[in-house]
Amino acid sequence: MAAETHALLPRSFFARDALEVARDLLGKLLRRDGVIVRITEVEAYRHPNDSANHCRFGLTERNAAMWGPPGRAYVYLCYGVHNMLNLSTNEEGEGAAVLIRSAEPVLGLTEIQRRRGGMSGPGLLTGPGKVGQVLQLDTSWSHHPVTEPGGLEALDAPPVREILAGPRVGIDFAAPADRDAPWRLAVAGTKWVSAPKGLRPV
């Protein structure tokens, strides 16, 4: 899959409800330097009434990138270890984003394996912390526009026909309706998914 044949996703792609963007991000590509990965699993964090959303208490220095403009990276450090990549959605001023949970290698497999300590197989990229590690991201990447050339880029690719959906992971603190909402989406028929349990065809 030649990287040159894939156009950057436009800002308008991200300027929609997070759940809609999440669905359409499946199968799209992320590129940084010589590494390209295909997005296989995502979670939507919506605006305005999602109690699992980092923006539920308002704008902070940490979550500022989620408030837009759309198409910006929001990277946060989880448990002091894992850098988690999100992409901002909705209109500017609406705190929402899509978490990139899993991906699969497209280009640069040798380098991807090196960054993951020589690991091979789906364990390379099944988990948001692993995606951040492979793309060599940290919190300094927050606010980076993935719709512009250079650095981390989001690239177009053919749409995914069959998807799975289920509850998001690790949000026990959220309201029951938000815990149960099927806002985690994955490509059907792939091993490159972090938590297949609970996912169902839609």
Side-chain angles (χ1 to χ4, degrees):
M1 188 180 291
E4 292 77 8
T5 65
H6 294 273
L8 284 164
L9 290 172
R11 176 172 160 172
S12 59
F13 175 93
F14 295 95
R16 301 175 291 152
D17 181 84
L19 187 59
E20 185 178 353
V21 176
R23 167 64 178 82
D24 291 345
L25 274 172
L26 292 175
K28 304 307 185 193
L29 307 176
L30 294 170
R31 175 171 63 189
R32 184 173 176 217
D33 299 328
V35 166
I36 299 179
V37 300
R38 176 177 180 257
I39 298 169
T40 54
E41 184 185 5
V42 294
E43 288 180 348
Y45 288 87
R46 304 176 76 185
H47 177 88
N49 297 314
D50 181 359
S51 61
N53 189 330
H54 282 188
C55 298
R56 62 192 179 276
F57 299 127
L59 175 65
T60 67
E61 182 178 355
R62 182 197 190 204
N63 68 30
M66 286 185 71
W67 296 87
R72 300 293 177 99
Y74 165 50
V75 182
Y76 69 90
L77 189 62
C78 183
Y79 303 127
V81 177
H82 304 294
N83 287 292
M84 317 278 258
L85 172 63
N86 302 257
L87 302 177
S88 63
T89 64
N90 292 51
E91 297 295 333
E92 187 166 5
E94 298 178 354
V98 175
L99 171 67
I100 309 302
R101 281 202 61 87
S102 296
E104 63 178 325
V106 172
L107 187 67
L109 178 59
T110 299
E111 179 62 15
I112 289 170
Q113 291 175 324
R114 186 192 69 79
R115 294 176 185 179
R116 293 284 294 126
M119 183 179 289
S120 61
L124 277 173
L125 279 160
T126 49
K130 298 172 184 179
V131 174
Q133 183 179 7
V134 161
L135 294 173
Q136 294 191 315
L137 302 175
D138 57 30
T139 57
S140 70
W141 282 86
S142 284
H143 301 280
H144 175 81
V146 299
T147 58
E148 299 176 13
L152 179 66
E153 302 168 333
L155 306 177
D156 200 5
V160 170
R161 301 298 181 188
E162 298 183 15
I163 69 169
L164 308 174
R168 295 170 293 180
V169 177
I171 58 166
D172 293 344
F173 59 87
D178 294 330
R179 290 201 304 266
D180 297 337
W183 295 347
R184 179 165 62 97
L185 307 174
V187 177
T190 179
K191 297 179 180 179
W192 300 90
V193 175
S194 69
K197 184 177 180 180
L199 292 172
R200 300 287 183 270
V202 295

PDB file of all heavy atoms in Angstrom, residues 48-63:
ATOM      1  N   PRO A  48     -22.416  16.674  24.345  1.00  0.00           N
ATOM      2  CA  PRO A  48     -21.933  17.247  25.605  1.00  0.00           C
ATOM      3  C   PRO A  48     -22.177  16.375  26.839  1.00  0.00           C
ATOM      4  O   PRO A  48     -21.723  16.717  27.920  1.00  0.00           O
ATOM      5  CB  PRO A  48     -22.782  18.516  25.722  1.00  0.00           C
ATOM      6  CG  PRO A  48     -24.105  18.102  25.140  1.00  0.00           C
ATOM      7  CD  PRO A  48     -23.808  17.107  24.055  1.00  0.00           C
ATOM      8  N   ASN A  49     -22.907  15.278  26.731  1.00  0.00           N
ATOM      9  CA  ASN A  49     -23.400  14.596  27.937  1.00  0.00           C
ATOM     10  C   ASN A  49     -22.817  13.198  28.135  1.00  0.00           C
ATOM     11  O   ASN A  49     -23.517  12.290  28.586  1.00  0.00           O
ATOM     12  CB  ASN A  49     -24.930  14.520  27.885  1.00  0.00           C
ATOM     13  CG  ASN A  49     -25.576  15.884  27.904  1.00  0.00           C
ATOM     14  OD1 ASN A  49     -25.199  16.742  28.698  1.00  0.00           O
ATOM     15  ND2 ASN A  49     -26.537  16.103  27.015  1.00  0.00           N
ATOM     16  N   ASP A  50     -21.557  13.030  27.838  1.00  0.00           N
ATOM     17  CA  ASP A  50     -20.886  11.743  27.999  1.00  0.00           C
ATOM     18  C   ASP A  50     -20.059  11.784  29.289  1.00  0.00           C
ATOM     19  O   ASP A  50     -19.036  12.459  29.363  1.00  0.00           O
ATOM     20  CB  ASP A  50     -19.994  11.481  26.787  1.00  0.00           C
ATOM     21  CG  ASP A  50     -19.257  10.156  26.846  1.00  0.00           C
ATOM     22  OD1 ASP A  50     -19.413   9.422  27.841  1.00  0.00           O
ATOM     23  OD2 ASP A  50     -18.518   9.861  25.877  1.00  0.00           O
ATOM     24  N   SER A  51     -20.509  11.055  30.295  1.00  0.00           N
ATOM     25  CA  SER A  51     -19.843  11.105  31.605  1.00  0.00           C
ATOM     26  C   SER A  51     -18.497  10.386  31.618  1.00  0.00           C
ATOM     27  O   SER A  51     -17.778  10.429  32.627  1.00  0.00           O
ATOM     28  CB  SER A  51     -20.756  10.514  32.686  1.00  0.00           C
ATOM     29  OG  SER A  51     -21.047   9.151  32.407  1.00  0.00           O
ATOM     30  N   ALA A  52     -18.125   9.723  30.533  1.00  0.00           N
ATOM     31  CA  ALA A  52     -16.799   9.119  30.415  1.00  0.00           C
ATOM     32  C   ALA A  52     -15.800  10.031  29.701  1.00  0.00           C
ATOM     33  O   ALA A  52     -14.610   9.716  29.629  1.00  0.00           O
ATOM     34  CB  ALA A  52     -16.893   7.790  29.667  1.00  0.00           C
ATOM     35  N   ASN A  53     -16.274  11.152  29.203  1.00  0.00           N
ATOM     36  CA  ASN A  53     -15.463  12.090  28.436  1.00  0.00           C
ATOM     37  C   ASN A  53     -14.536  12.877  29.365  1.00  0.00           C
ATOM     38  O   ASN A  53     -14.957  13.345  30.427  1.00  0.00           O
ATOM     39  CB  ASN A  53     -16.407  13.045  27.691  1.00  0.00           C
ATOM     40  CG  ASN A  53     -15.713  13.938  26.691  1.00  0.00           C
ATOM     41  OD1 ASN A  53     -14.552  14.299  26.847  1.00  0.00           O
ATOM     42  ND2 ASN A  53     -16.446  14.313  25.666  1.00  0.00           N
ATOM     43  N   HIS A  54     -13.285  13.055  28.956  1.00  0.00           N
ATOM     44  CA  HIS A  54     -12.346  13.868  29.746  1.00  0.00           C
ATOM     45  C   HIS A  54     -12.812  15.311  29.887  1.00  0.00           C
ATOM     46  O   HIS A  54     -12.324  16.031  30.762  1.00  0.00           O
ATOM     47  CB  HIS A  54     -10.957  13.858  29.096  1.00  0.00           C
ATOM     48  CG  HIS A  54     -10.181  12.615  29.354  1.00  0.00           C
ATOM     49  ND1 HIS A  54      -8.856  12.459  28.995  1.00  0.00           N
ATOM     50  CD2 HIS A  54     -10.527  11.449  29.948  1.00  0.00           C
ATOM     51  CE1 HIS A  54      -8.429  11.266  29.345  1.00  0.00           C
ATOM     52  NE2 HIS A  54      -9.426  10.624  29.916  1.00  0.00           N
ATOM     53  N   CYS A  55     -13.713  15.744  29.028  1.00  0.00           N
ATOM     54  CA  CYS A  55     -14.195  17.133  29.055  1.00  0.00           C
ATOM     55  C   CYS A  55     -15.458  17.298  29.900  1.00  0.00           C
ATOM     56  O   CYS A  55     -16.050  18.391  29.898  1.00  0.00           O
ATOM     57  CB  CYS A  55     -14.462  17.615  27.635  1.00  0.00           C
ATOM     58  SG  CYS A  55     -12.990  17.639  26.595  1.00  0.00           S
ATOM     59  N   ARG A  56     -15.850  16.277  30.625  1.00  0.00           N
ATOM     60  CA  ARG A  56     -17.134  16.339  31.354  1.00  0.00           C
ATOM     61  C   ARG A  56     -17.156  17.439  32.410  1.00  0.00           C
ATOM     62  O   ARG A  56     -18.239  17.911  32.777  1.00  0.00           O
ATOM     63  CB  ARG A  56     -17.444  14.983  31.988  1.00  0.00           C
ATOM     64  CG  ARG A  56     -16.427  14.524  33.030  1.00  0.00           C
ATOM     65  CD  ARG A  56     -16.648  13.055  33.391  1.00  0.00           C
ATOM     66  NE  ARG A  56     -15.699  12.557  34.372  1.00  0.00           N
ATOM     67  CZ  ARG A  56     -14.488  12.104  34.067  1.00  0.00           C
ATOM     68  NH1 ARG A  56     -14.063  12.117  32.806  1.00  0.00           N
ATOM     69  NH2 ARG A  56     -13.682  11.644  35.018  1.00  0.00           N
ATOM     70  N   PHE A  57     -15.996  17.866  32.894  1.00  0.00           N
ATOM     71  CA  PHE A  57     -15.943  18.926  33.903  1.00  0.00           C
ATOM     72  C   PHE A  57     -15.527  20.267  33.304  1.00  0.00           C
ATOM     73  O   PHE A  57     -15.287  21.223  34.039  1.00  0.00           O
ATOM     74  CB  PHE A  57     -15.006  18.545  35.043  1.00  0.00           C
ATOM     75  CG  PHE A  57     -15.423  17.297  35.775  1.00  0.00           C
ATOM     76  CD1 PHE A  57     -14.535  16.246  35.951  1.00  0.00           C
ATOM     77  CD2 PHE A  57     -16.709  17.164  36.283  1.00  0.00           C
ATOM     78  CE1 PHE A  57     -14.915  15.095  36.614  1.00  0.00           C
ATOM     79  CE2 PHE A  57     -17.100  16.018  36.950  1.00  0.00           C
ATOM     80  CZ  PHE A  57     -16.203  14.974  37.120  1.00  0.00           C
ATOM     81  N   GLY A  58     -15.425  20.330  31.968  1.00  0.00           N
ATOM     82  CA  GLY A  58     -15.077  21.580  31.318  1.00  0.00           C
ATOM     83  C   GLY A  58     -13.657  21.613  30.776  1.00  0.00           C
ATOM     84  O   GLY A  58     -12.916  20.627  30.826  1.00  0.00           O
ATOM     85  N   LEU A  59     -13.294  22.765  30.275  1.00  0.00           N
ATOM     86  CA  LEU A  59     -11.991  22.971  29.639  1.00  0.00           C
ATOM     87  C   LEU A  59     -10.886  23.043  30.687  1.00  0.00           C
ATOM     88  O   LEU A  59     -10.983  23.783  31.667  1.00  0.00           O
ATOM     89  CB  LEU A  59     -12.023  24.270  28.831  1.00  0.00           C
ATOM     90  CG  LEU A  59     -10.712  24.728  28.188  1.00  0.00           C
ATOM     91  CD1 LEU A  59     -10.258  23.746  27.118  1.00  0.00           C
ATOM     92  CD2 LEU A  59     -10.901  26.125  27.585  1.00  0.00           C
ATOM     93  N   THR A  60      -9.820  22.272  30.475  1.00  0.00           N
ATOM     94  CA  THR A  60      -8.640  22.300  31.335  1.00  0.00           C
ATOM     95  C   THR A  60      -7.391  22.350  30.450  1.00  0.00           C
ATOM     96  O   THR A  60      -7.473  22.134  29.228  1.00  0.00           O
ATOM     97  CB  THR A  60      -8.547  21.060  32.236  1.00  0.00           C
ATOM     98  OG1 THR A  60      -8.317  19.896  31.412  1.00  0.00           O
ATOM     99  CG2 THR A  60      -9.826  20.863  33.045  1.00  0.00           C
ATOM    100  N   GLU A  61      -6.268  22.610  31.059  1.00  0.00           N
ATOM    101  CA  GLU A  61      -5.021  22.603  30.298  1.00  0.00           C
ATOM    102  C   GLU A  61      -4.783  21.237  29.683  1.00  0.00           C
ATOM    103  O   GLU A  61      -4.324  21.111  28.542  1.00  0.00           O
ATOM    104  CB  GLU A  61      -3.848  22.988  31.208  1.00  0.00           C
ATOM    105  CG  GLU A  61      -2.513  23.058  30.480  1.00  0.00           C
ATOM    106  CD  GLU A  61      -1.383  23.498  31.388  1.00  0.00           C
ATOM    107  OE1 GLU A  61      -1.641  23.848  32.562  1.00  0.00           O
ATOM    108  OE2 GLU A  61      -0.227  23.485  30.922  1.00  0.00           O
ATOM    109  N   ARG A  62      -5.120  20.167  30.422  1.00  0.00           N
ATOM    110  CA  ARG A  62      -4.881  18.808  29.941  1.00  0.00           C
ATOM    111  C   ARG A  62      -5.745  18.471  28.731  1.00  0.00           C
ATOM    112  O   ARG A  62      -5.261  17.895  27.765  1.00  0.00           O
ATOM    113  CB  ARG A  62      -5.154  17.804  31.062  1.00  0.00           C
ATOM    114  CG  ARG A  62      -4.883  16.350  30.672  1.00  0.00           C
ATOM    115  CD  ARG A  62      -5.547  15.392  31.648  1.00  0.00           C
ATOM    116  NE  ARG A  62      -5.113  14.022  31.453  1.00  0.00           N
ATOM    117  CZ  ARG A  62      -5.829  12.960  31.810  1.00  0.00           C
ATOM    118  NH1 ARG A  62      -7.013  13.121  32.360  1.00  0.00           N
ATOM    119  NH2 ARG A  62      -5.379  11.734  31.612  1.00  0.00           N
ATOM    120  N   ASN A  63      -7.051  18.806  28.788  1.00  0.00           N
ATOM    121  CA  ASN A  63      -7.954  18.354  27.737  1.00  0.00           C
ATOM    122  C   ASN A  63      -8.187  19.402  26.645  1.00  0.00           C
ATOM    123  O   ASN A  63      -9.049  19.215  25.779  1.00  0.00           O
ATOM    124  CB  ASN A  63      -9.297  17.900  28.323  1.00  0.00           C
ATOM    125  CG  ASN A  63     -10.131  19.033  28.905  1.00  0.00           C
ATOM    126  OD1 ASN A  63     -10.080  20.181  28.475  1.00  0.00           O
ATOM    127  ND2 ASN A  63     -10.940  18.713  29.907  1.00  0.00           N
TER     128      ASN A  63
END
